[in-house]
Amino acid sequence: TMTDYVEGVVAIEEELHLTNGSGTLTQILGLKSIKEPSFTLDEVEDTDMGSGGVKDYVAGLGDWTLFEATIKHRPGSDEHVLIEEHLLSRERRPFKIVLRADNAGSTVDGTGEILLLAYDKPNRATGAVVDATLRGRVRQYTEGAVTAPGA
């Protein structure tokens, strides 16, 4: 039997929205890359004398991986001001990412809360386009259903 082909999704037109100081979700323009939040579990050793000389493990605490996004660094822009304000507030705020679900343009919204931890600004070199990296910790992240293009 022939295996069905599954087409990979090309990452374009994805979005990051952060919450400003007034509580409004605002799209961060100039997004270049995004690390989708992932959930992991610690492994905790649970070996005892009856384990037959083989280690046993149980699932430990869960954690969300470090969230990362790369954006075009534009000092003084609305995005720059929002990110700096959010970071310095030390607040956990709602956020949203929009991910492409297929190459026909369907999308999935991921929502949750994020605590921004870093806004790493670039080393500015002559003639280079400069990027900045956002890092944060996510909590209560969920993905919605696939939305068809134009819906």
Side-chain angles (χ1 to χ4, degrees):
T1 66
M2 185 175 257
T3 304
D4 288 337
Y5 171 72
V6 177
E7 183 176 75
V9 178
V10 177
I12 59 170
E13 299 174 356
E14 304 201 346
E15 300 173 11
L16 169 63
H17 300 253
L18 296 176
T19 300
N20 66 19
S22 304
T24 304
L25 268 177
T26 304
Q27 184 174 356
I28 302 300
L29 301 179
L31 181 67
K32 294 184 85 173
S33 69
I34 194 165
K35 168 74 176 76
E36 203 176 327
S38 302
F39 192 72
T40 63
L41 292 172
D42 288 338
E43 60 178 354
V44 178
E45 188 177 340
D46 190 36
T47 307
D48 61 29
M49 293 296 180
S51 297
V54 177
K55 291 183 179 180
D56 281 325
Y57 295 90
V58 295
L61 296 176
D63 195 9
W64 288 97
T65 56
L66 188 67
F67 174 84
E68 288 190 340
T70 302
I71 63 169
K72 294 177 181 177
H73 183 57
R74 298 177 303 125
S77 67
D78 291 345
E79 291 77 17
H80 176 86
V81 172
L82 185 157
I83 291 163
E84 293 239 307
E85 185 277 328
H86 184 174
L87 177 65
L88 294 174
S89 76
R90 299 173 179 243
E91 294 174 348
R92 186 179 284 113
R93 294 183 182 173
F95 83 110
K96 176 175 87 169
I97 58 176
V98 179
L99 304 170
R100 253 177 89 132
D102 62 35
N103 292 323
S106 295
T107 59
V108 170
D109 287 0
T111 57
E113 294 180 339
I114 189 165
L115 175 66
L116 288 185
L117 299 173
Y119 181 34
D120 288 341
K121 296 170 186 158
N123 179 11
R124 301 178 79 89
T126 303
V129 172
V130 290
D131 297 335
T133 303
L134 294 175
R135 291 188 183 85
R137 282 288 176 189
V138 168
R139 187 171 93 173
Q140 301 173 344
Y141 178 78
T142 57
E143 288 182 357
V146 173
T147 302

